[in-house]
Amino acid sequence: MTDSTIQLVSQLTNIPSPTGNTQTIMTWLHDFLIQHGYQPTFNRKGSLIVTVPGQDTNQARFVTAHVDTLGAMVRQIKPDGRIKLDLIGGFKYNAIEGEYCTIHTQSGKEITGTILMHQTSVHVYADAGTAERNQTNMEIRLDEKVTNADETKALGIQVGDFISFDPRTVITETGFIKSRHLDDKVSVAILLQILVELAKTKTSLPYTTHFFFSNNEEIGYGGNSNIDENVVEYLAVDMGAMGDDQQTDEYSASICVKDASGPYHLGLRQHLVQLCENETIPYQLDIYPFYGSDASAAMRAGADVRHALVGAGIDASHAYERTHITSIEATERLVRAYLHSPMSE
């Protein structure tokens, strides 16, 4: 079902959903799940929960992926009519330099622009290449005829308006998916595809499973609530981090053994590894040094569960990201195998 999953990835990445402004994508998810026979519910924070009854109703699983993405807000309308940004999520200004973006105004009007250094022109600024990429120096050039703050305000733009980044989703003939926001819309697509399969085949899972689509993960508290008291295991499906000293690649499922919050549950990790071995699923074990997940947020909130984190390997995380179809397929196979397996010990 990888082709269907890739189509879902493309659809999802093209729905703007910066943390704090996720109503559109959550409505899309709600309608999608209704169409496939589910009865999803929203919590007060706007996250979406789908419960699939299992053969064992005394023990349950909790599986999450997050729809919210990196983004920004209007921090200030500058005297020349350009926009100063305030970042949402953990990324650096250099990761968005030159990116197309959209400002979502209070009235619903959308205004496009480009994120640039103030000192962009090498013909004018001697420090165009050396000036720090920071909040002071970076700005949005609007695709509107504005020369001062009043003209920008007249468009309906105000402080606090959300800013989303153009995903530029491309699927190459060689099987790579290049896009912003693969973190974590690849995982959302995987969970949706599995839910579609369960509905079509009327397959019964061994345990009642709560699928939780969170909308605040990028700011640290997406999936730390609404955990039923019968939940024994919590699996976060999120991106695998790639870089120096990392084993994660774009062709395997990544199983996180430790992130910035500390080690993940050893027994559940070993269970996932054994599933990969049994099913011949390519995988890598890894430590993500500057990372937190919905599962780690749940642990900080005091959840009494065994927790784990798996995901597709994503290159250039929190920038213009990339993965390969084989990594998505491996992760989907692992999650599917897990959902049909006995509880870990």
Side-chain angles (χ1 to χ4, degrees), residues 253-268:
S254 182
I255 301 174
C256 182
V257 303
K258 177 182 179 290
D259 66 12
S261 69
Y264 282 77
H265 189 274
L266 178 59
L268 184 48

Side-chain angles (χ1 to χ4, degrees), residues 74-330:
V74 174
R75 175 67 180 87
Q76 176 193 10
I77 300 172
K78 302 173 79 169
D80 62 359
R82 295 193 176 192
I83 302 298
K84 184 177 186 178
L85 302 88
D86 203 60
L87 303 184
I88 299 173
F91 65 107
K92 306 300 181 184
Y93 277 94
N94 63 285
I96 56 172
E97 184 174 5
E99 191 59 85
Y100 294 162
C101 64
T102 300
I103 298 173
H104 306 268
T105 68
Q106 183 71 26
S107 68
K109 182 179 179 180
E110 296 184 344
I111 299 169
T112 62
T114 305
I115 301 168
L116 297 166
M117 280 287 288
H118 178 78
Q119 308 94 312
T120 290
S121 176
V122 296
H123 298 99
V124 177
Y125 301 100
D127 61 347
T130 59
E132 185 179 353
R133 273 57 184 163
N134 59 22
Q135 187 177 53
T136 299
N137 291 333
M138 295 199 68
E139 62 191 15
I140 295 176
R141 178 188 66 195
L142 299 174
D143 298 327
E144 299 284 344
K145 192 175 180 180
V146 293
T147 58
N148 57 59
D150 288 340
E151 290 173 345
T152 296
K153 291 175 182 177
L155 296 172
I157 295 175
Q158 57 186 333
V159 170
D161 285 343
F162 282 91
I163 301 163
S164 62
F165 308 143
D166 187 339
R168 291 187 288 138
T169 305
V170 176
I171 302 170
T172 73
E173 293 182 359
T174 52
F176 288 99
I177 299 92
K178 304 188 295 184
S179 179
R180 288 191 180 274
H181 315 319
L182 296 180
D183 171 21
D184 184 36
K185 291 181 176 179
V186 164
S187 303
V188 174
I190 287 171
L191 295 191
L192 289 178
Q193 183 58 46
I194 288 173
L195 284 165
V196 169
E197 292 172 9
L198 291 173
K200 283 184 178 180
T201 61
K202 302 188 185 305
T203 301
S204 178
L205 293 175
Y207 307 97
T208 293
T209 303
H210 306 283
F211 292 82
F212 189 90
F213 298 95
S214 68
N215 63 340
N216 290 287
E217 192 275 346
E218 293 292 359
I219 55 174
Y221 60 88
N224 60 356
S225 62
N226 304 93
I227 303 172
D228 188 90
E229 62 180 8
N230 290 333
V231 170
V232 175
E233 294 179 347
Y234 186 126
L235 178 69
V237 189
D238 208 330
M239 53 148 278
M242 293 175 55
D244 292 345
D245 297 327
Q246 301 298 108
Q247 293 196 111
T248 297
D249 58 37
E250 296 174 89
Y251 315 107
S252 312
S254 182
I255 301 174
C256 182
V257 303
K258 177 182 179 290
D259 66 12
S261 69
Y264 282 77
H265 189 274
L266 178 59
L268 184 48
R269 181 243 285 190
Q270 291 172 330
H271 180 63
L272 294 167
V273 169
Q274 192 60 55
L275 288 172
C276 289
E277 296 286 350
N278 294 345
E279 302 290 332
T280 321
I281 299 169
Y283 73 96
Q284 299 287 352
L285 298 175
D286 223 337
I287 293 172
Y288 312 155
F290 310 109
Y291 191 113
S293 71
D294 278 334
S296 56
M299 299 305 285
R300 286 194 299 273
D304 183 18
V305 296
R306 299 193 283 268
H307 71 313
L309 167 60
V310 303
I314 305 292
D315 186 53
S317 60
H318 284 195
Y320 187 50
E321 299 164 341
R322 191 184 78 165
T323 192
H324 195 270
I325 289 172
T326 53
S327 185
I328 296 174
E329 180 181 27

